[in-house]
Amino acid sequence: MAKNDAPAEKTGRLKQILQAYQMTRKSDPKVGLVLAGMFLGIVAVFVVLALLVGPLLVWLPLGVAIAFLATTIVFGRKVEKAAYSQIEGQAGAAASALQTLRRGWSVAPAVAVTKNSDIVHRVVGRPGIVLVGEGQPSRVKNLLAAEAKKHTRVAGGAPVTQIIAGQGEGEVDIRKLTKHVMKLPAVLQPSEITDLLQRLKALDAVRPQVPMPKGPVPTSLKGARQAMRGR
């Protein structure tokens, strides 16, 4: 990386964090006070410890470091909660959540879309093929079943799992969607995943292009999480 790139990268990270804070403050106006209070409270505890049992030059830096870490973790959780609140209920919200899956997962948003804005997204990873539907439950079940049949034909024996994103009985809340997918039993090896993706390309090549439903595009959760990870 060139030396001139470092200031630009730092500025980009600070901008991401500021945007994440502004987004969070819309749903949680007191977030700044809560974080500041937590930081100062932890530092105060270590200052008291320093006065009682040890030198300030040892306890104060330790307190600042722990306070910063704790505040960052809490801020990250609040950012994630605000981001989910922002996308919840919008068409494509499940796809936005699934995009936060890390390396080893392939996410294809909206492999099937109906005129009623029912959508099926596809995730491929070690558990095989995971089809995630969102929309009106009774219609989505039929759409998922149809897509499962198509995918089973080219899956080569890989499992095809169906999930409906939502808050009803038997559905998975989008806040828990990625964790639910990641906890599915791992049955495929990386080489098998590569082969499966190639077969799915053939399936996608013969299906018509389907646009995402009209309406606001959900804010991606990736930016918020990347800001918290310093990426």
Side-chain angles (χ1 to χ4, degrees):
M1 181 183 295
K3 290 183 178 180
N4 293 337
D5 291 341
E9 184 180 357
K10 185 176 181 180
T11 301
R13 289 177 183 173
L14 291 174
K15 186 177 180 180
Q16 275 189 326
I17 293 172
L18 178 60
Q19 289 174 341
Y21 174 76
Q22 290 172 338
M23 176 192 69
T24 306
R25 192 173 60 178
K26 290 179 181 179
S27 60
D28 186 358
K30 295 182 179 180
V31 61
L33 291 175
V34 171
L35 295 175
M38 173 179 288
F39 183 89
L40 293 175
I42 293 174
V43 171
V45 169
F46 277 83
V47 169
V48 172
L49 285 173
L51 295 175
L52 293 176
V53 298
L56 186 64
L57 290 178
V58 173
W59 286 98
L60 182 58
L62 179 60
V64 170
I66 292 176
F68 179 78
L69 178 61
T71 304
T72 300
I73 292 172
V74 172
F75 180 39
R77 290 176 179 173
K78 286 183 174 293
V79 168
E80 186 172 329
K81 182 179 179 181
Y84 276 117
S85 298
Q86 189 179 69
I87 68 172
E88 203 164 25
Q90 296 187 36
S96 187
L98 291 169
Q99 293 286 1
T100 63
L101 287 167
R102 300 185 183 181
R103 182 180 297 180
W105 299 90
S106 173
V107 179
V111 294
V113 178
T114 70
K115 62 181 180 180
N116 294 315
S117 298
D118 301 314
I119 317 172
V120 171
H121 313 292
R122 183 179 67 217
V123 181
V124 178
R126 295 202 63 188
I129 299 171
V130 184
L131 299 176
V132 180
E134 55 178 323
Q136 206 283 329
S138 61
R139 294 195 306 259
V140 170
K141 286 180 181 178
N142 294 331
L143 184 60
L144 273 172
E147 284 301 312
K149 287 182 180 179
K150 294 177 184 178
H151 284 78
T152 299
R153 293 190 192 106
V154 298
V160 179
T161 305
Q162 301 177 48
I163 296 173
I164 296 179
Q167 297 181 332
E169 185 178 353
E171 300 173 356
V172 180
D173 192 296
I174 62 166
R175 300 168 190 266
K176 302 177 182 179
L177 185 57
T178 54
K179 290 182 180 179
H180 182 86
V181 171
M182 292 174 67
K183 288 181 179 179
L184 292 173
V187 296
L188 300 183
Q189 298 300 317
S191 60
E192 294 174 309
I193 296 173
T194 301
D195 182 59
L196 178 57
L197 289 172
Q198 290 299 319
R199 292 198 297 273
L200 291 173
K201 281 184 179 180
L203 173 64
D204 294 338
V206 299
R207 70 164 76 231
Q209 292 288 338
V210 286
M212 284 286 284
K214 293 180 180 180
V217 178
T219 301
S220 173
L221 296 170
K222 268 189 173 181
R225 290 188 176 180
Q226 286 176 349
M228 293 302 95
R229 293 199 298 265
R231 290 174 57 186

